[in-house]
C-alpha cells in the first residue's frame, strides 16, 4: 500500500512564501519525495508588498519599488526563472538629499551616503566643518571589537560621526525601513557593511575593498512590467499548490508530530510541517499559545504610504541632479523619499509626463496614516513645491497605504529571534516563522530565508518518523 504523503503548509504567498514553496516543490520533484505543499493565502492574490498596477500601457509599482542588485539572492532567482530579458537596471546615479531647504547631490563615490574615500568628505557641502573633522577622526579608528547590539545610529555615529550618520546614512536607511535609525538595531538589518567592517578593520577600508557596493547606476532593478513579474512567475509555477481566500486563524500541535491548521474558523487541515511567511505583526492572530506569543508580543510594525503623481512635462522647476530625493528627518516633512521614475528607469524616460513616486510616513508618524486622501495629497504637494518647485496641479494621483507593513528591528532583535528559533526547535519542531519581520527586510533577504527554510523543512521531514 502506498504510504500517505507528508503535507507541508506554507502560510502566506508574498515573495517569502512563494520562494519557500517553489524550493520545496522543486526539491520534492527532484528527489521524488512523498511530500505535498499547500500554500494558504488569505487574500485573492499573491505577491504581498510586490504590488504592480497597470495604467493604460504602463505598469507602476505601488509597494516595493525596486530590488537591490548588490545582494545576490534575487538575481539568482531571476536567472533561474529565466526572467533576465524582462529586467531593467536603474540609471542616472543616485538620489539627491534634501536638507536645510536645499538639494544636495553627493558627487563623490559613496555607499548609502558614506564617502568611500576619507578625503572626499571635503566635497560634502551637506556636512559642516566640524562634522567633517569628526568623520575623519572616527573613520581612522577601528571599532570592530564591538560585540553587543547597538542602535544603527550609534553604530554609524561612532564610525563616521554624528552628522554623516544623520544627514547622509539615515536617509538611505530610512527609505527602506521607514524608521529612525536610533530605533533600529544594526544586527537586525543584515547590513553587509557590518560584516565587511569586521573583515577589513574600518568602514572606509571595507568600502575601498568592495567597489561593487558604491551608490550609482545599476544598484537597483525592476521589470518593465513591474516587480510583480517575479511573484507572478512563481505563482504560475505553483498554481496547483495555492489556495486563495484561506485565512489561517490558528495553528496548534496535534498527535504524531503533526499540526492542525484552522482556516477561516470553519475548516481544519492536518499537516506535518508549517511555514508561516506572513508579516510578524500577524503572529498574535495565528497562535493562541501564550508561551509562544510572549516572544513576539513586543513586535513593532511601521506604516508607510505611497503616492504616484503625474505632472505635466517640465513641471519640476528645481529638479534633482540624481534620480530622486531622500529627505532627512529634521526637514519636518511628510515626504520620506521621492523616486523620479522618468529618470530612474529607461522605459519611463520618454513619457510625456513627469512621474514621481512619493513615499510618506515614518514609524513615529501615526497621524499621517489617519488623514484623508485629500489631506495627504495637499500636505505632500506643499512639500513637493518646497523641494522641487512644482507649482502646477498634478494630472492625476494614486494613493496606496501600507499600514503596519514594515518591521521595526529594535535593538536586540537578533538575540530575540535566536531565542525564538531555539524555542520553536524544542517545543514546536517542524514549525518555522520567516518573512520580513524575522531575518532582515527586503526582497533579497526574503528570498534567502525562503531558500534556507525549504532545505530545513526537507531535512526535518526526512528525519521524522
Amino acid at each position: 500500500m502506498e504510504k500517505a504523503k507528508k503535507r507541508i503548509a506554507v502560510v502566506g504567498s508574498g515573495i517569502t512564501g512563494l520562494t519557500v514553496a517553489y524550493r520545496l516543490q522543486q526539491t520534492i520533484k527532484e528527489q521524488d519525495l512523498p511530500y505535498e505543499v499547500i500554500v494558504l493565502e488569505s487574500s485573492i492574490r499573491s505577491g504581498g508588498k510586490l504590488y504592480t498596477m497597470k495604467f493604460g500601457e504602463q505598469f507602476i509599482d505601488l509597494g516595493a519599488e525596486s530590488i537591490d542588485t548588490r545582494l545576490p539572492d534575487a538575481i539568482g532567482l531571476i536567472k533561474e526563472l529565466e526572467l533576465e530579458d524582462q529586467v531593467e537596471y536603474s540609471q542616472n546615479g543616485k538620489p539627491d538629499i534634501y536638507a536645510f531647504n536645499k538639494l544636495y547631490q553627493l558627487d563623490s563615490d559613496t555607499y548609502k551616503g558614506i564617502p568611500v574615500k576619507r578625503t572626499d568628505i571635503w566635497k560634502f557641502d551637506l556636512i559642516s566643518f566640524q562634522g567633517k573633522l569628526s568623520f575623519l577622526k572616527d573613520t581612522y579608528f577601528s571599532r570592530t571589537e564591538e560585540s553587543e547590539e547597538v542602535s544603527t545610529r550609534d553604530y554609524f555615529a561612532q564610525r563616521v560621526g554624528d552628522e554623516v550618520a544623520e544627514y547622509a546614512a539615515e536617509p538611505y536607511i530610512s527609505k527602506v525601513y521607514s524608521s529612525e535609525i536610533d530605533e533600529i538595531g544594526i544586527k537586525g538589518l543584515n547590513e553587509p557593511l557590518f560584516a565587511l567592517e569586521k573583515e577589513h578593520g574600518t568602514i572606509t577600508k571595507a568600502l575601498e575593498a568592495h567597489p561593487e557596493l558604491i551608490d550609482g547606476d545599476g544598484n537597483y532593478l525592476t521589470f518593465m512590467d513591474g516587480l510583480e513579474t517575479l511573484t507572478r512567475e512563481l505563482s504560475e509555477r505553483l498554481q496547483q499548490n495555492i489556495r486563495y481566500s484561506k485565512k489561517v486563524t490558528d495553528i496548534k500541535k496535534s498527535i504524531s508530530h503533526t499540526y492542525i491548521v484552522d482556516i477561516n474558523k470553519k475548516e481544519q487541515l492536518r499537516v506535518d510541517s508549517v511555514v508561516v511567511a506572513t508579516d510578524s505583526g500577524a503572529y498574535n492572530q495565528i497562535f493562541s499559545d501564550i508561551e509562544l506569543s510572549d516572544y513576539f508580543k513586543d513586535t513593532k510594525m511601521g506604516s508607510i504610504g505611497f503616492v504616484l503623481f503625474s505632472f505635466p512635462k517640465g513641471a519640476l522647476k528645481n529638479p534633482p541632479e540624481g534620480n530622486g530625493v531622500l529627505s532627512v528627518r529634521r526637514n519636518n516633512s511628510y515626504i520620506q523619499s521621492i523616486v523620479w521614475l522618468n529618470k530612474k528607469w529607461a522605459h519611463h524616460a520618454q513619457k510625456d509626463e513627469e512621474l514621481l513616486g512619493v513615499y510618506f510616513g515614518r514609524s513615529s508618524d501615526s497621524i499621517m496614516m489617519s488623514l484623508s486622501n485629500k489631506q495627504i495629497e495637499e500636505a505632500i504637494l506643499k512639500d513637493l513645491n518646497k523641494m522641487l518647485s512644482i507649482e502646477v496641479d498634478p494630472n492625476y494621483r494614486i494613493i496606496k497605504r501600507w499600514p503596519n507593513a514594515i518591521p521595526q528591528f529594535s535593538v536586540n532583535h537578533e538575540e530575540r529571534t535566536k531565542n525564538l528559533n531555539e524555542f520553536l526547535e524544542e517545543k514546536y519542531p517542524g514549525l518555522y516563522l520567516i518573512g520580513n519581520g524575522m531575518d532582515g527586510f527586503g526582497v533579497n533577504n526574503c528570498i534567502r530565508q525562503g531558500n534556507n527554510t525549504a532545505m530545513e523543512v526537507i531535512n526535518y521531514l526526512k528525519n521524522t518518523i
Side-chain angles (χ1 to χ4, degrees):
M1 187 173 71
E2 184 179 351
K3 188 176 180 181
K5 288 185 177 181
K6 290 184 177 180
R7 186 178 290 161
I8 308 161
V10 177
V11 183
S13 66
I15 184 61
T16 314
L18 291 172
T19 300
V20 72
Y22 170 70
R23 287 286 175 230
L24 285 167
Q25 192 66 13
Q26 188 182 51
T27 306
I28 289 168
K29 184 176 181 180
E30 289 174 354
Q31 300 183 18
D32 192 24
L33 298 171
Y35 308 155
E36 64 175 334
V37 180
I38 298 175
V39 181
L40 302 170
E41 169 56 49
S42 63
S43 72
I44 59 173
R45 63 172 287 274
S46 295
K49 296 175 191 65
L50 300 192
Y51 189 90
T52 306
M53 289 192 69
K54 185 178 181 181
F55 306 98
E57 297 302 314
Q58 65 186 4
F59 296 84
I60 301 292
D61 284 299
L62 303 183
E65 179 265 332
S66 59
I67 298 173
D68 196 327
T69 62
R70 290 170 286 188
L71 296 172
D73 309 273
I75 291 179
L77 181 59
I78 289 168
K79 290 180 178 179
E80 185 178 336
L81 297 175
E82 299 181 339
L83 297 173
E84 296 164 274
D85 61 335
Q86 301 179 50
V87 166
E88 190 168 84
Y89 293 91
S90 60
Q91 57 184 15
N92 289 310
K94 54 195 173 186
D96 290 23
I97 292 178
Y98 183 77
F100 315 115
N101 298 315
K102 183 180 177 182
L103 290 173
Y104 295 87
Q105 172 63 207
L106 307 181
D107 292 326
S108 59
D109 288 342
T110 61
Y111 172 69
K112 295 188 176 176
I114 300 169
V116 172
K117 295 181 180 178
R118 295 176 70 242
T119 53
D120 280 345
I121 191 63
W122 297 112
K123 302 176 183 177
F124 277 48
D125 295 337
L126 176 63
I127 306 300
S128 72
F129 180 75
Q130 187 59 43
K132 292 171 182 176
L133 292 179
S134 179
F135 171 83
L136 292 171
K137 175 178 68 71
D138 290 334
T139 52
Y140 185 79
F141 297 103
S142 172
R143 303 274 184 170
T144 56
E145 73 284 351
E146 192 172 81
S147 59
E148 293 184 2
E149 173 74 299
V150 296
S151 73
T152 301
R153 175 181 176 77
D154 288 343
Y155 173 81
F156 281 113
Q158 291 167 7
R159 289 158 174 80
V160 298
D162 285 323
E163 285 192 34
V164 174
E166 181 174 351
Y167 300 135
E170 179 175 17
Y172 277 86
I173 296 168
S174 294
K175 177 183 184 295
V176 177
Y177 293 95
S178 183
S179 182
E180 283 76 25
I181 62 175
D182 46 9
E183 298 177 359
I184 311 174
I186 185 62
K187 293 181 181 178
L189 295 188
N190 274 330
E191 166 58 55
L193 193 59
F194 183 78
L196 292 175
E197 185 210 8
K198 290 184 178 298
E199 178 184 346
H200 294 279
T202 66
I203 280 182
T204 48
K205 287 180 181 178
L207 293 178
E208 287 178 352
H210 292 274
E212 71 277 7
L213 295 178
I214 292 174
D215 301 322
D217 289 355
N219 282 167
Y220 299 94
L221 67 80
T222 189
F223 296 90
M224 285 176 277
D225 290 349
L227 288 182
E228 212 171 323
T229 299
L230 178 57
T231 50
R232 191 182 306 116
E233 178 67 25
L234 288 170
S235 298
E236 288 175 2
R237 296 188 183 218
L238 292 163
Q239 58 182 320
Q240 302 302 319
N241 305 84
I242 303 176
R243 310 286 186 269
Y244 292 102
S245 299
K246 299 292 184 181
K247 181 177 178 60
V248 173
T249 51
D250 197 11
I251 299 173
K252 293 180 180 177
K253 285 195 292 187
S254 187
I255 60 172
S256 302
H257 307 289
T258 63
Y259 292 90
I260 297 295
V261 180
D262 191 277
I263 304 168
N264 294 332
K265 295 186 177 180
K266 63 181 182 180
E267 59 180 299
Q268 293 184 327
L269 181 69
R270 186 183 297 275
V271 300
D272 298 273
S273 180
V274 187
V275 180
V276 181
T278 66
D279 287 327
S280 55
Y283 293 165
N284 280 317
Q285 302 172 27
I286 295 176
F287 299 104
S288 55
D289 184 335
I290 296 176
E291 189 177 8
L292 175 57
S293 299
D294 276 346
Y295 282 91
F296 37 80
K297 66 180 180 181
D298 296 325
T299 299
K300 294 182 179 179
M301 302 294 290
S303 300
I304 194 168
F306 176 83
V307 188
L308 171 70
F309 282 110
S310 166
F311 290 101
K313 202 70 176 175
L316 285 68
K317 300 306 180 185
N318 180 37
E321 290 184 40
N323 55 27
V325 179
L326 302 176
S327 177
V328 304
R329 187 183 358 175
R330 293 199 185 193
N331 286 330
N332 196 27
S333 168
Y334 291 114
I335 293 176
Q336 186 184 96
S337 64
I338 304 168
V339 181
W340 191 358
L341 298 176
N342 309 70
K343 201 167 183 182
K344 187 169 184 177
W345 306 115
H347 67 283
H348 287 305
Q350 301 305 317
K351 298 284 174 60
D352 59 355
E353 58 184 333
E354 304 290 6
L355 292 172
L356 298 181
V358 180
Y359 289 88
F360 65 88
R362 298 175 187 265
S363 61
S364 59
D365 182 13
S366 59
I367 296 177
M368 189 66 174
M369 288 297 161
S370 66
L371 299 179
S372 69
N373 284 356
K374 181 175 178 56
Q375 289 172 317
I376 289 173
E377 180 185 348
E378 289 175 349
I380 292 178
L381 285 174
K382 186 175 180 180
D383 285 344
L384 282 175
N385 189 16
K386 289 180 182 177
M387 292 182 182
L388 305 177
S389 297
I390 300 176
E391 299 177 349
V392 298
D393 293 333
N395 300 319
Y396 61 86
R397 82 288 298 156
I398 297 163
I399 298 178
K400 177 68 176 176
R401 304 167 197 247
W402 294 95
N404 301 316
I406 311 295
Q408 305 300 294
F409 296 113
S410 57
V411 174
N412 297 323
H413 171 82
E414 183 186 48
E415 181 182 353
R416 287 197 296 270
T417 301
K418 179 184 176 184
N419 293 338
L420 171 58
N421 287 331
E422 290 174 351
F423 173 82
L424 291 174
E425 188 174 352
E426 178 185 356
K427 298 292 182 69
Y428 285 85
L431 172 63
Y432 303 87
L433 304 183
I434 63 175
N436 65 17
M438 293 298 294
D439 188 13
F441 181 72
V443 175
N444 281 289
N445 282 318
C446 288
I447 291 172
R448 176 179 51 79
Q449 288 181 79
N451 290 335
N452 294 340
T453 303
M455 296 304 102
E456 291 179 26
V457 172
I458 294 295
N459 291 334
Y460 165 75
L461 292 178
K462 284 181 176 179
N463 291 288
T464 302
I465 299 175

